[in-house]
Amino acid sequence: QCMIILIACSPISIASAQTFTGLGGTIKDDGSLNIYPLTINGLPPAINGEFGLEKICVNIQHTWDSDVSIYLVAPDGAVAELNRRNGDGGDNFTDCCFSPTAEVSINDGEAPFSGTYLPEISFGGLNNGQNPNGVWKLAILDIHPEEEGGRVVNWKLTFGKKPARPYFLAESK
């Protein structure tokens, strides 16, 4: 005799948004790239246009914002440029977020940066099907060594169902 057992399975529901917070530290004022890692665990095995990176927020204290370039490096090594030397001689990025739904570009913002901005370049390319579980890195470059310094207080990545749209570069022939 055989018995057949049917098991009903429902799809796993992903929360509308999950935010992870990374620590910071001193921004070395020697012209070197400063790296602040954040290990992500517990997300689905692939990020894309349906579930992926929605928002990146930073809290950075710096006495000359236009010295600062900000990048995000994904676990697969893909890089997104968030800010390139904006803000003139203004100070700080306080609760400064980057989102594809922002109405103002970081290029049009003024220091001190606070609120939500479009990044320098869309970070949708990070939602490329990669596994988001792993080490993400906030990378800060202070381009004028031995002048004004600063520190990353903290930074946050938010993943959810309204991600930056992925894009793929066409192959050249």
Side-chain angles (χ1 to χ4, degrees):
Q1 288 183 333
C2 294
M3 181 182 289
I4 298 174
I5 300 174
L6 296 175
I7 299 174
C9 296
S10 61
I12 296 173
S13 175
I14 301 296
S16 61
Q18 295 179 33
T19 300
F20 300 85
T21 302
L23 300 176
T26 300
I27 298 172
K28 290 180 281 181
D29 196 16
D30 62 3
S32 65
L33 195 60
N34 297 267
I35 303 292
Y36 309 91
L38 170 59
T39 301
I40 303 288
N41 290 306
L43 291 177
I47 52 176
N48 52 42
E50 295 177 26
F51 181 86
L53 186 60
E54 290 182 344
K55 185 167 55 171
I56 303 155
C57 298
V58 297
N59 281 298
I60 298 172
Q61 297 170 342
H62 199 281
T63 56
W64 197 273
D65 286 355
S66 65
D67 285 359
V68 177
S69 291
I70 306 170
Y71 306 90
L72 181 65
V73 182
D76 72 350
V79 178
E81 183 178 41
L82 305 175
N83 176 69
R84 184 183 332 126
R85 304 185 60 204
N86 292 296
D88 296 319
D91 298 350
N92 303 329
F93 296 81
T94 305
D95 294 323
C96 175
C97 296
F98 299 93
S99 169
T101 60
E103 295 181 11
V104 177
S105 168
I106 191 71
N107 294 311
D108 297 326
E110 294 182 13
F113 292 101
S114 182
T116 304
Y117 300 93
L118 290 168
E120 196 77 39
I121 298 173
S122 171
F123 56 83
L126 302 180
N127 291 325
N128 60 9
Q130 72 171 295
N131 186 338
N133 297 296
V135 179
W136 290 77
K137 298 172 188 163
L138 184 69
I140 307 287
L141 180 62
D142 183 335
I143 58 119
H144 286 293
E146 300 175 17
E147 289 184 17
E148 294 77 24
R151 69 177 275 99
V152 173
V153 177
N154 61 34
W155 59 289
K156 299 176 183 181
L157 299 179
T158 300
F159 296 84
K161 294 182 180 180
K162 296 179 183 174
R165 304 304 298 164
Y167 59 87
F168 301 95
L169 299 176
E171 289 185 33
S172 60
K173 294 183 181 186

